[in-house]
Amino acid sequence: SSGTPDSVAAYAYLQTRGSIPLSWSQKVTMKYMPRVNIDKNEGENTKRFQKHFLHDGEHSIDTYGNIVAVNLVDRVGKSKKIHDQRELGNLFKRECDRLETEIEKHYEKEQRKTIKFVWFDFHHECRKMQWHNLSKLVQEVKSELDSQGCFSILKNGNVGSLQSGVLRTNCMDNLDRTNVVQSLFARQAFLKQLQNEQSSRGQTPDFSIETVMETPFPEFEYVFKNIWANNADAMSVLYSGTPALKTDFTRTGKRTKVGLLKDGWNSVLRFYLNNFCDGRRQDAVDIFLGKFDASIDKPTRDLLQGESKSFAASTENLLFVYMGLFMIVSILSATFLEEDLFISQKLYVAFWSYIAIAIMLLYLVLKKGRFTSFSRNFVTVPSLVRHI
């Protein structure tokens, strides 16, 4: 800037992210993609939703102004996973429409704020590496992004401008898809701020802000992408226990084979942590946040909602039995391999039948979500009774 007291010292643009503010859950049962359970009590969902967005809620329009709710969950497809996300997304949209009516009732016209719902099926639009389709989403919210403006502070300490609304982004866990999309919004906000700065100096902006994936400033791009990806990894480690997925795209602007391999490994690690570790982590978080009343006057049994199972303790006996049978069959197969061809052939068939049955059971439990009453014996769930 020129250095005059009334020149801008700094710009800022705020985005928010948050879970879909309805009553829903996904219970761990060792299924890789657990089903979504939605509370069918419409009145309770409406109450939760409006508490979130109105008055003193976490994303109150009184605090943030006009809100654009960008929903990235799946909508197109026939699988049960997509069906669940589509049902949740449809309920999200209905509640946004209902909230608009509520806003008209309780706010004067000159004080009235809006909430706009935008549904962008990230997985469908970006399937088969079609990342350029993200430009559709940016164009859809561009007018709101421009009208919201940004916060700026002048060198003399005065406020130069205020931001009048926010983009609120969500996917299912508000991590990977949300990280990618918010990085695009942040880039657009930066370019808009830079154009404003040039205009304030009487200069004609010498670049276009129509580009979504890149800016004409390589040094900025390097710093911006890595800072954003590092932030995504830090948030993801706190929430899921692993670095974020899709950060190869955030860092480089394209998907890579190495990035896909890392995402595969982190997805497997998330599955393990989610099913066998997060129950106790949730208990620790609840204690830290004061949502668990560890009163000395309460008997221990009143503080527990169920026996907390350790994955290692629950599977120890099963693992020993499995490995024992495996070793017996293997030893017998080797022993009779040359001595008795008939017995050897039977043991050979038994060995591979044993392996096939184990694989089939894993497929039914992990992929299809069968035998939940059995599989829930091995997962770790929160065990403390929350008083809030």
Side-chain angles (χ1 to χ4, degrees), residues 352-379:
W352 286 109
S353 297
Y354 182 70
I355 295 298
I357 291 172
I359 292 174
M360 182 181 68
L361 287 173
L362 285 174
Y363 172 78
L364 291 174
V365 171
L366 302 182
K367 177 68 175 177
K368 297 297 184 179
R370 304 293 174 81
F371 312 120
T372 54
S373 59
F374 169 77
S375 60
R376 282 187 65 82
N377 290 319
F378 303 101
V379 299

Side-chain angles (χ1 to χ4, degrees), residues 77-138:
K78 297 181 180 179
S79 70
K80 292 180 179 179
K81 175 183 80 76
I82 294 176
H83 171 271
D84 289 347
Q85 294 193 28
R86 181 168 56 241
E87 185 178 358
L88 186 60
N90 285 332
L91 183 56
F92 190 5
K93 185 180 186 306
R94 288 199 300 271
E95 290 299 336
C96 281
D97 294 339
R98 186 177 284 120
L99 182 63
E100 278 289 298
T101 303
E102 198 68 20
I103 290 173
E104 292 177 1
K105 291 180 181 178
H106 292 86
Y107 290 83
E108 298 295 333
K109 190 172 182 179
E110 58 275 7
Q111 298 177 330
R112 193 171 297 162
K113 305 295 191 299
T114 62
I115 177 167
K116 176 182 178 180
F117 179 82
V118 175
W119 193 341
F120 182 82
D121 187 338
F122 186 100
H123 286 150
H124 177 72
E125 293 289 347
C126 300
R127 67 194 185 282
K128 299 180 181 179
M129 304 296 184
Q130 298 183 85
W131 299 98
H132 60 276
N133 283 336
L134 288 167
S135 60
K136 297 179 183 178
L137 173 59
V138 175

Side-chain angles (χ1 to χ4, degrees), residues 33-45:
M33 288 288 188
R35 297 294 302 270
V36 176
N37 302 300
I38 303 174
D39 189 345
K40 301 301 182 182
N41 187 330
E42 187 172 331
E44 182 62 26
N45 272 318

Side-chain angles (χ1 to χ4, degrees), residues 62-80:
D62 293 327
T63 301
Y64 293 106
N66 299 323
I67 294 175
V68 181
V70 181
N71 179 41
L72 304 176
V73 304
D74 298 345
R75 178 168 55 176
V76 179
K78 297 181 180 179
S79 70
K80 292 180 179 179

Side-chain angles (χ1 to χ4, degrees), residues 279-294 303-304 383-388:
R280 291 185 174 181
R281 289 179 63 193
Q282 184 63 55
D283 284 338
V285 170
D286 286 341
I287 292 175
F288 180 76
L289 296 178
K291 295 185 177 182
F292 167 67
D293 185 10
L303 305 177
L304 302 177
S383 59
L384 302 179
V385 178
R386 294 168 54 156
H387 75 276
I388 296 178

